[in-house]
């Protein structure tokens, strides 16, 4: 079994380059079975699985220069952005035990997202994944003997320490994070590609993201996760998520779209039910989130298409549908759903295959 120890860099005799620069593009992901509840250090209370996305990504360059003062400068979309520094600094502090050589460098981080900054789409998963990959490229330069598998596994391990869901933003098209008895090699420490052959019904699956509310969330994911401690339904929820993952694993292999819809929508609503029943309680859905859900249910009943929704920790709705039904579903979205989006904004995305070095 892989443990934390396996990720501690030990090749101490290797020389460190004076300068190095790496660029990675890492995708966002949308969870089908949700991660909500964790223990320290960033270990999930249940296993989760997500579709890796394609159009929504973060592209990050890290320029490393050997230096005695290990300072960080951050540029977001070409502008210096000091507000991003604490989060990156915290990430560096959490990972330096595993990549100690980074403390010998000052870093210039240049980052941008493919999606608008204030879109309500969290960039922490793609952002932390891209940063982790830049760190791993430096490790690979110092120690070229590491295998490709180790490179990506450790990138996921480091990304997880920045943001849990970032562990699932390295590879694609489906990634499991969290130990699960039915998923070989699954681990709480890093994401692992879904190990089984996926039925063609789920190839090129679409995700149209309806931007219902682009404002800052009133309750951050970190606060929300914490409210799962002492939550009256927490233990049941963690068990349920693991059961749902076992069911979904079969569904992904057999192509059973009806069961897929049932599991995925139930997961989305359960996630929000956990928020509604936290203490203090909170609601991240907006009236238009519910309008969209009702419209999707009505359209599905009328057309017998396999369109469904999922939600992340916010008001936006991810509308999921198979490649075969894209024309009819697209038409429905444009004609009936985008009116519920803020400034009619939405993003057409689909399942992708993971991060790429640029
Ligand atoms: C609802 O990964 O954003 O999107 O680990 O505190 O950074 P931290 O939380 P984060 O939580 C994501 C929660 C979710 C569900 C999911 O992606 O599985």
């Amino acid at each position: 079994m892989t443990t934390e120890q396996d990720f501690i860099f030990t090749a101490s005799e290797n020389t460190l380059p004076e300068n190095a620069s790496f660029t990675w593009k890492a995708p966002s992901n949308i969870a089908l079975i949700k991660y909500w509840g964790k223990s320290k250090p960033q270990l999930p209370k249940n296993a989760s699985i997500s579709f890796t996305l394609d159009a929504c990504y973060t592209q990050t360059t890290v320029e490393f220069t050997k230096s005695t003062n290990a300072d960080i400068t951050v540029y977001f979309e070409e502008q210096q952005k000091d507000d991003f520094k604490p989060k990156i600094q915290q990430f560096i502090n959490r990972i330096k035990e595993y990549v100690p050589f980074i403390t010998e460098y000052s870093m210039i981080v240049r980052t941008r997202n493919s999606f608008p900054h204030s879109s309500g789409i969290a960039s922490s998963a793609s952002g932390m994944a891209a940063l982790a990959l830049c760190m791993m490229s430096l490790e690979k330069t110092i120690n070229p003997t590491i295998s490709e598998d180790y490179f990506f596994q450790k990138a996921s391990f480091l990304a997880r320490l920045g943001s849990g869901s970032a562990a699932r933003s390295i590879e694609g098209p489906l990634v499991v994070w969290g130990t699960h008895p039915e998923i070989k090699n699954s681990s709480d420490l890093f994401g692992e590609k879904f190990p089984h052959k996926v039925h063609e019904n789920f190839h090129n699956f679409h995700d149209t993201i309806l931007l219902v509310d682009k404002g800052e969330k009133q309750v951050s994911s970190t606060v929300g996760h914490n409210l799962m401690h002492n939550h009256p339904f927490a233990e049941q929820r963690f068990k349920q998520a693991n059961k749902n993952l076992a069911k979904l694993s079969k569904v992904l292999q057999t192509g059973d779209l009806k069961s897929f819809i049932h599991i995925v929508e139930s997961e989305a609503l359960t996630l929000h039910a956990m928020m509604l029943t936290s203490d203090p309680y909170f609601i991240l859905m907006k009236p238009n989130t519910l309008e969209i859900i009702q419209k999707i249910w009505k359209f599905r009943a009328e057309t017998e298409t396999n369109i469904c929704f999922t939600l992340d920790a916010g008001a936006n709705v991810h509308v999921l549908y198979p490649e075969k039904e894209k024309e009819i579903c697209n038409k429905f979205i444009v004609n009936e759903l985008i009116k519920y989006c803020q400034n009619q904004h939405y993003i057409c995305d689909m399942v992708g295959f993971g991060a790429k070095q640029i």
Side-chain angles (χ1 to χ4, degrees):
M1 206 182 73
T2 311
T3 69
E4 271 107 339
Q5 295 300 317
D6 297 312
F7 295 117
I8 298 178
F9 179 85
T10 47
S12 58
E13 271 149 43
N14 304 44
T15 46
L16 303 183
E18 280 305 311
N19 299 290
S21 171
F22 308 100
T23 302
W24 279 89
K25 194 169 131 176
S28 194
N29 70 75
I30 180 68
L32 303 171
I33 304 293
K34 309 290 181 182
Y35 146 61
W36 197 244
K38 60 177 168 181
S39 55
K40 281 187 178 154
Q42 296 279 97
L43 298 171
K45 290 286 197 178
N46 62 261
S48 57
I49 184 168
S50 50
F51 272 143
T52 304
L53 296 181
D54 181 55
C56 291
Y57 62 84
T58 298
Q59 183 167 320
T60 300
T61 300
V62 182
E63 295 163 26
F64 297 92
T65 307
K66 247 183 129 209
S67 158
T68 43
N69 55 326
D71 55 319
I72 302 170
T73 316
V74 185
Y75 292 89
F76 177 68
E77 289 171 353
E78 320 289 327
Q79 304 285 330
Q80 194 164 338
K81 191 94 175 154
D82 290 339
D83 345 344
F84 281 19
K85 263 167 79 168
K87 200 135 199 231
I88 296 180
Q89 191 60 62
Q90 183 192 40
F91 175 61
I92 303 284
N93 290 341
R94 287 187 189 168
I95 66 169
K96 67 182 180 206
E97 192 185 335
Y98 304 99
V99 280
F101 48 83
I102 61 170
T103 58
E104 312 262 334
Y105 290 92
S106 68
M107 291 175 218
I108 299 175
V109 177
R110 298 179 196 279
T111 189
R112 66 178 176 85
N113 297 329
S114 65
F115 44 91
H117 181 47
S118 39
S119 57
I121 299 185
S123 60
S124 63
S126 52
M128 290 298 163
L131 260 184
L133 286 157
C134 291
M135 303 300 161
M136 284 312 295
S137 286
L138 180 60
E139 174 163 337
K140 175 104 186 149
T141 306
I142 299 167
N143 179 14
T145 64
I146 59 173
S147 70
E148 197 170 307
D149 281 356
Y150 181 83
F151 181 97
F152 288 111
Q153 202 171 67
K154 184 166 172 183
S156 172
F157 171 85
L158 297 177
R160 180 199 109 239
L161 292 169
S163 177
S165 54
R168 301 187 312 242
S169 268
I170 303 288
E171 295 184 285
L174 279 154
V175 178
V176 176
W177 168 46
T179 308
H180 192 282
E182 289 175 39
I183 306 286
K184 211 172 145 234
N185 295 334
S186 58
S187 170
D188 286 351
L189 300 178
F190 48 81
E192 193 57 29
K193 261 203 246 181
F194 181 67
H196 304 289
K197 191 169 182 302
V198 174
H199 191 278
E200 63 176 335
N201 282 353
F202 299 108
H203 293 179
N204 304 323
F205 225 71
H206 290 261
D207 177 4
T208 299
I209 309 166
L210 303 179
L211 306 177
V212 171
D213 185 45
K214 305 194 215 165
E216 185 119 335
K217 287 184 277 185
Q218 297 107 313
V219 180
S220 72
S221 289
T222 308
V223 172
H225 282 289
N226 274 332
L227 293 173
M228 288 301 277
H229 298 298
N230 307 318
H231 189 295
F233 309 137
E235 286 314 312
Q236 274 304 112
R237 161 61 198 152
F238 303 143
K239 279 192 197 131
Q240 177 202 41
N242 285 331
K243 274 194 194 150
N244 278 345
L245 205 156
K247 284 188 204 157
L248 190 65
S249 167
K250 295 208 177 66
V251 162
L252 290 168
Q253 296 170 67
T254 58
D256 177 356
L257 286 161
K258 297 282 173 266
S259 300
F260 175 85
I261 292 170
H262 188 79
I263 299 166
V264 167
E265 291 190 345
S266 167
E267 275 290 313
L269 294 177
T270 306
L271 168 71
H272 284 259
M274 290 299 112
M275 301 174 189
L276 299 177
T277 49
S278 289
D279 185 5
Y281 43 79
F282 60 104
I283 304 179
L284 296 183
M285 292 184 287
K286 296 282 180 201
N288 281 350
T289 311
L290 299 180
E291 291 283 356
I292 291 167
I293 292 174
Q294 300 289 354
K295 280 273 160 76
I296 290 174
W297 284 345
K298 185 161 174 275
F299 178 76
R300 191 164 74 217
E302 286 166 2
T303 58
E304 289 182 22
T305 48
N306 293 289
I307 192 165
C308 70
F309 72 87
T310 188
L311 307 168
D312 55 16
N316 295 337
V317 183
H318 289 249
V319 187
L320 304 174
Y321 47 97
E323 168 77 8
K324 270 193 198 143
E325 298 173 4
K326 72 174 176 209
E327 273 87 21
I328 178 170
C329 292
N330 261 323
K331 219 164 160 189
F332 160 65
I333 291 169
V334 172
N335 292 340
E336 303 216 33
L337 299 184
I338 60 170
K339 59 173 174 248
Y340 299 109
C341 299
Q342 211 176 329
N343 307 325
Q344 311 222 341
H345 283 170
Y346 65 104
I347 297 172
C348 292
D349 209 338
M350 66 192 297
V351 168
F353 296 93
K356 282 210 161 59
Q357 188 165 15
I358 305 294

